[in-house]
Amino acid sequence: MISTKMKEMVEQSAALSAMFTEGKRLAEIYGAENVYDFGIGNPNVPAPETVRSAAMDLLQHTDVLQLHSYTDSSGIPAVRKAIADNLNRRFGKAYTEQNLIMTVGAAGGLNVICKTLLDAGEEILTFAPYFGEYDNYAKNVGAVLRAVPPNPPDFLPDLNRMAEMITQRTKVVLINSPNNPTGVIYDAETIAKLADVLEQKEKEFGTSIYLISDEPYRELAYDGRQVPDVTTYYHNAIVVYSYSKSLSLPGDRIGYLLIPSTVDAFEDVIMGAGIANRVLGFVNAPALQQMIVARCCEEVTDVAFYNGNRDLLYQALREYGYECAKPQGAFYLFVRALEEDDVAFCERAKQYRLLLTPGSAFGCKGYVRISYCVARKTIEQALPSFLALAESYQKK
Amino acid sequence: MISTKMKEMVEQSAALSAMFTEGKRLAEIYGAENVYDFGIGNPNVPAPETVRSAAMDLLQHTDVLQLHSYTDSSGIPAVRKAIADNLNRRFGKAYTEQNLIMTVGAAGGLNVICKTLLDAGEEILTFAPYFGEYDNYAKNVGAVLRAVPPNPPDFLPDLNRMAEMITQRTKVVLINSPNNPTGVIYDAETIAKLADVLEQKEKEFGTSIYLISDEPYRELAYDGRQVPDVTTYYHNAIVVYSYSKSLSLPGDRIGYLLIPSTVDAFEDVIMGAGIANRVLGFVNAPALQQMIVARCCEEVTDVAFYNGNRDLLYQALREYGYECAKPQGAFYLFVRALEEDDVAFCERAKQYRLLLTPGSAFGCKGYVRISYCVARKTIEQALPSFLALAESYQKK
């Protein structure tokens, strides 16, 4: 009785939620503290105290009508100005409020920019492994998502393969760095080469190819690594940003689209994105959260905490015999499963009270994602389970 | 370079924003206080003080990780429970948290339920005049919106015409009572008859026809009128609600879907709606706002204030010779334009510094919408302009 497409999604989702139900069942048997959930990306670093003080101050000192009013569908101009100023200071740019659209997180931003740019049947090219929701965002506008195959062991984008896969219909190339699920950061050289290929292809086909850079993990970079600013390298680059990880505000649903004035059809893109925000039902990014991030955009999360988690888990897993590239950013480890079937491997992990996500959910079989944005204690207590899981394969 | 559909919307929108630019131009010449903006639905009644105290208390006393965490895509179970309890007390129902999905306002809720129910090519039937965004929401999922023609002067739904227009492909009938733009409330007799027709048609075609009741104005009813609970009259009714008007929180983007257990394929609908919330990019309704409305859902806005605006403006307009049904709810007057072309009439109104919305934006030419959710003073000061506008037609 529901939509055919949604019926399929309900059925797929039932399988996925069976995994979480199993997690709950294990928690009931062994106690929640003895089940180690590495499945989700909910930050364990609290939001900075300035978020609370900004919120309290806004609630106490802003005119109540203004505080709760509809905002422009693009967001509050003063908020966009504050964020533009922050970006200008950090990246030596000259953005204004005209270059920013406030969105309901990165998920909202991605849907808005897809709605703005893509007609049904046009193509989005991305790189496996990739965040599974990209498939749904493409389908929402009738576009086709195609994935360049995974490029292990370093998982940098395979640019030759990308070049082969770009067609007349490729309107968007979608990247995510620091990457979910691999933790790879695309370095400046990679971005520069990627930009070269896109420029060549734009000429070859006489088309515009927009590079959409999904950057919720931008601030989570380790070992002093820099995340290159894509807009410096390519004229048609658009950034999708979220404060879900950088300020630990995932439930607040607040982020932005950065649309540089250099992009083709800039006026149409920026106006279209405002309209898309409205017609997709977001209407505006939540007003209070807009005002909060304008005041807190200079804040940084506790990267050292995630770095500690990364080192602890990475070293232990290597010691136990797991194969894995050391993540450069984000808060995920992408580990080779100890058998070919990553779903079966995740099933076996549950026997050791470990909840992991199969790589096939990211278009990359044979791997699993371990989300380490958890309490330090969770990792410490889970290590014997990871060891026992590895040993269970050696015995066999 | 942007999507073809979006390019069309950008062009249409340019015409609309020309109207607002004109408003700004007038404000610069005459001063903002001398331009009377009756164009928008931004409540002028402040949010209740309990909204602020609930927000402050949550910020001070809730664990910071919990406060900002992702919520279930359906919303926080305790929040849904609190709202279900509120509905049960008011309407003598037995809802549980299983019947509610928290959404990014009513606009989010409408997009979520359309995504859940409708395949491309299926039909939504609504009644003109109707909120123009319905067209966009239908297009978002490739569905077709058809409008039963307006039924002046009382603007109650023409049920005979509706019956003729329902086809095998009609999956949704969408109503909005109290109505934007007419202010009409569909009484119990009308809802009962409407339900009868839908039940007959379900039998005739062997289909499920869902009645979606868009109710952001439910609490704004005057003269002691009751807004019937549609779920009491029809097994396949789903309610879309928002706190934008009832608590004056339009910028906060918070509302819900009420999906009674009686609807066909209930389990699929409720699960599908949770998935739709996620894949459309809402992910979850903003977490803080969910917690706020759970604590404030017993609050009511200052209906007496809107009632005062209604009486003042309605009586003056009638006296000046305008034709208009007295609104029973919401905060709009739907007035017959003084010439055939409602857009031309709005243009002339601007000469008197009055900003109105043409009825053609609601699928009903020859009328204009006057939004009276403004300061009392705005109405008082605008009355001479309304009089002069009417007189300008008498002279002619």
Side-chain angles (χ1 to χ4, degrees):
Chain A
M1 304 289 189
I2 64 170
S3 115
T4 317
K5 283 184 197 168
M6 186 51 76
K7 181 73 182 171
E8 284 166 23
M9 294 175 84
V10 165
E11 278 156 14
Q12 288 160 12
S13 180
L16 199 73
S17 71
M19 198 174 100
F20 289 99
T21 310
E22 176 68 4
K24 277 189 188 164
R25 196 186 65 84
L26 292 173
E28 276 166 24
I29 299 174
Y30 299 104
E33 71 286 6
N34 298 313
V35 177
Y36 313 117
D37 188 350
F38 296 96
I40 49 168
N42 227 341
N44 205 264
V45 169
E49 171 57 27
T50 47
V51 165
R52 178 161 69 172
S53 55
M56 302 274 286
D57 186 61
L58 285 161
L59 286 161
Q60 284 171 302
H61 300 117
T62 309
D63 171 70
V64 63
L65 280 179
Q66 194 196 328
L67 193 65
H68 298 293
S69 173
Y70 288 118
T71 81
D72 286 1
S73 60
S74 306
I76 300 168
V79 169
R80 287 146 55 201
K81 175 77 166 56
I83 294 170
D85 289 348
N86 171 269
L87 295 172
N88 294 342
R89 277 193 295 278
R90 290 163 64 197
F91 301 106
K93 300 285 181 175
Y95 297 126
T96 73
E97 65 269 32
Q98 300 299 329
N99 297 109
L100 286 145
I101 306 270
M102 301 307 296
T103 61
V104 170
L110 283 163
N111 276 284
V112 163
I113 198 64
C114 284
K115 180 80 174 176
T116 305
L117 295 177
L118 290 151
D119 276 308
E122 290 186 322
E123 293 173 0
I124 303 173
L125 205 57
T126 194
F127 298 90
Y130 62 90
F131 183 44
E133 291 288 271
Y134 292 168
D135 277 313
N136 293 320
Y137 303 164
K139 282 180 197 160
N140 287 341
V141 295
V144 179
L145 185 84
R146 300 174 65 212
V148 177
N151 188 27
D154 65 9
F155 290 109
L156 279 170
D158 182 341
L159 299 180
N160 293 330
R161 196 79 185 81
M162 176 187 84
E164 291 165 12
M165 289 177 70
I166 290 175
T167 74
Q168 183 78 35
R169 305 179 72 77
T170 308
K171 189 73 165 282
V172 165
V173 171
L174 174 55
I175 61 172
N176 171 222
S177 163
N179 186 263
N180 172 15
T182 64
V184 170
I185 293 175
Y186 294 4
D187 56 23
E189 196 189 335
T190 301
I191 298 292
K193 281 186 192 161
L194 196 157
D196 280 349
V197 176
L198 296 186
E199 273 164 20
Q200 282 167 30
K201 289 290 170 184
E202 284 192 324
K203 278 187 202 138
E204 182 181 333
F205 292 114
T207 54
S208 293
I209 305 175
Y210 292 91
L211 177 65
I212 309 294
S213 184
D214 179 22
E215 303 187 359
Y217 303 99
R218 162 168 282 281
E219 322 308 341
L220 300 183
Y222 308 115
D223 307 324
R225 273 206 175 69
Q226 296 298 312
V227 180
D229 164 42
V230 292
T231 68
T232 302
Y233 295 87
Y234 187 56
H235 68 118
N236 264 338
I238 291 171
V239 175
V240 181
Y241 191 83
S242 166
Y243 293 94
S244 292
K245 323 295 175 177
S246 63
L247 293 180
S248 293
L249 300 176
D252 288 79
R253 312 310 306 131
I254 185 72
Y256 63 76
L257 283 168
L258 170 65
I259 305 174
S261 309
T262 54
V263 304
D264 292 342
F266 169 71
E267 296 285 344
D268 280 350
V269 176
I270 203 89
M271 197 160 167
I275 294 172
N277 226 350
R278 199 192 76 217
V279 304
L280 291 175
F282 301 109
V283 180
N284 57 246
L288 178 65
Q289 280 83 347
Q290 289 189 45
M291 297 180 211
I292 290 171
V293 297
R295 294 191 183 198
C296 300
C297 61
E298 303 282 342
E299 289 291 324
V300 284
T301 191
D302 186 359
V303 178
F305 171 81
Y306 295 122
N307 190 38
N309 277 4
R310 176 185 73 134
D311 285 348
L312 175 63
L313 188 56
Y314 173 75
Q315 280 161 25
L317 292 184
R318 290 301 301 260
E319 198 180 299
Y320 304 157
Y322 292 92
E323 268 179 62
C324 170
K326 190 167 188 183
Q328 302 163 333
F331 43 49
Y332 306 106
L333 276 159
F334 203 55
V335 181
R336 213 178 161 82
L338 297 176
E339 61 182 296
E340 211 168 305
D341 182 342
D342 51 303
V343 176
F345 178 72
C346 288
E347 279 304 308
R348 191 191 291 203
K350 270 190 246 159
Q351 296 172 22
Y352 300 87
R353 291 165 285 126
L354 295 170
L355 303 181
L356 315 176
T357 311
S360 43
F362 303 91
C364 185
K365 291 180 181 177
Y367 287 80
V368 294
R369 188 190 76 171
I370 303 175
S371 176
Y372 59 81
C373 59
V374 298
R376 183 71 43 87
K377 200 179 60 176
T378 303
I379 297 177
E380 287 165 356
Q381 295 180 345
L383 290 183
S385 284
F386 278 110
L387 177 59
L389 174 62
E391 286 174 347
S392 81
Y393 282 94
Q394 288 152 12
K395 281 176 205 157
K396 212 178 152 187
Chain B
M1 304 291 189
I2 64 170
S3 114
T4 317
K5 283 184 197 168
M6 187 51 77
K7 182 73 183 168
E8 284 166 23
M9 294 174 85
V10 165
E11 278 157 15
Q12 288 161 11
S13 181
L16 200 71
S17 71
M19 198 173 102
F20 288 101
T21 310
E22 175 69 5
K24 277 189 188 165
R25 195 185 66 84
L26 292 173
E28 276 165 24
I29 299 174
Y30 300 105
E33 72 284 7
N34 297 313
V35 178
Y36 312 118
D37 189 349
F38 296 97
I40 50 170
N42 228 342
N44 205 266
V45 169
E49 171 57 27
T50 47
V51 166
R52 176 159 70 171
S53 55
M56 302 275 287
D57 186 61
L58 286 161
L59 286 160
Q60 284 171 302
H61 300 117
T62 309
D63 172 69
V64 63
L65 281 178
Q66 193 195 330
L67 192 64
H68 297 294
S69 172
Y70 287 117
T71 81
D72 287 0
S73 60
S74 305
I76 300 167
V79 168
R80 287 146 55 203
K81 174 77 164 57
I83 294 170
D85 289 348
N86 171 269
L87 294 173
N88 294 342
R89 277 193 295 277
R90 289 162 65 197
F91 301 107
K93 299 286 179 173
Y95 298 126
T96 73
E97 64 270 31
Q98 301 297 330
N99 298 108
L100 286 144
I101 307 269
M102 300 307 296
T103 61
V104 170
L110 284 163
N111 277 283
V112 162
I113 198 64
C114 284
K115 180 81 173 175
T116 306
L117 295 177
L118 289 151
D119 276 308
E122 290 186 323
E123 293 173 359
I124 303 173
L125 204 58
T126 193
F127 297 89
Y130 63 92
F131 184 44
E133 292 288 271
Y134 291 169
D135 276 313
N136 293 320
Y137 302 164
K139 282 179 196 161
N140 287 341
V141 294
V144 179
L145 185 84
R146 300 173 67 212
V148 177
N151 189 26
D154 65 10
F155 290 108
L156 278 169
D158 181 341
L159 299 179
N160 293 329
R161 195 79 184 80
M162 176 188 84
E164 291 164 13
M165 288 176 72
I166 289 175
T167 75
Q168 183 79 34
R169 304 179 72 77
T170 308
K171 189 74 166 280
V172 165
V173 170
L174 174 54
I175 61 172
N176 170 222
S177 163
N179 186 265
N180 171 14
T182 64
V184 170
I185 293 174
Y186 295 4
D187 56 25
E189 197 189 335
T190 300
I191 298 292
K193 280 186 192 163
L194 195 157
D196 280 349
V197 176
L198 295 185
E199 273 164 20
Q200 282 167 31
K201 288 289 169 182
E202 283 192 323
K203 277 186 202 140
E204 182 182 333
F205 292 114
T207 54
S208 293
I209 305 175
Y210 293 91
L211 177 64
I212 309 294
S213 184
D214 179 22
E215 303 187 358
Y217 303 100
R218 161 167 285 281
E219 323 307 341
L220 300 183
Y222 307 115
D223 308 325
R225 273 204 175 70
Q226 295 297 312
V227 179
D229 165 43
V230 292
T231 69
T232 302
Y233 295 87
Y234 186 56
H235 69 118
N236 264 339
I238 291 171
V239 175
V240 181
Y241 190 83
S242 166
Y243 293 95
S244 293
K245 321 296 176 179
S246 63
L247 293 180
S248 294
L249 300 176
D252 288 77
R253 312 310 305 133
I254 185 71
Y256 64 76
L257 281 168
L258 170 65
I259 303 174
S261 310
T262 53
V263 304
D264 291 343
F266 168 71
E267 295 286 343
D268 280 348
V269 176
I270 203 89
M271 196 160 168
I275 294 171
N277 226 350
R278 200 192 76 218
V279 304
L280 291 176
F282 301 109
V283 180
N284 57 245
L288 178 64
Q289 280 83 348
Q290 288 189 46
M291 298 179 210
I292 290 171
V293 298
R295 295 191 182 196
C296 300
C297 61
E298 303 282 343
E299 289 292 323
V300 284
T301 190
D302 186 359
V303 178
F305 171 81
Y306 294 122
N307 190 38
N309 278 4
R310 175 185 74 136
D311 285 347
L312 175 62
L313 188 57
Y314 173 75
Q315 278 161 25
L317 292 184
R318 290 301 302 260
E319 198 181 298
Y320 305 157
Y322 292 92
E323 270 180 60
C324 171
K326 190 167 190 182
Q328 301 163 335
F331 44 49
Y332 306 106
L333 275 159
F334 204 55
V335 180
R336 211 177 164 84
L338 297 176
E339 60 182 296
E340 212 168 303
D341 181 343
D342 51 305
V343 175
F345 178 71
C346 288
E347 279 305 306
R348 189 190 292 203
K350 270 191 244 159
Q351 296 173 20
Y352 299 88
R353 291 165 285 126
L354 295 170
L355 302 181
L356 315 176
T357 311
S360 43
F362 303 91
C364 186
K365 291 180 182 178
Y367 287 79
V368 294
R369 187 190 78 171
I370 302 175
S371 176
Y372 59 80
C373 58
V374 297
R376 182 70 44 85
K377 200 179 60 174
T378 303
I379 297 177
E380 287 164 356
Q381 294 178 346
L383 290 183
S385 285
F386 280 111
L387 177 58
L389 175 63
E391 286 174 346
S392 81
Y393 282 94
Q394 288 154 13
K395 282 176 203 159
K396 209 176 150 184

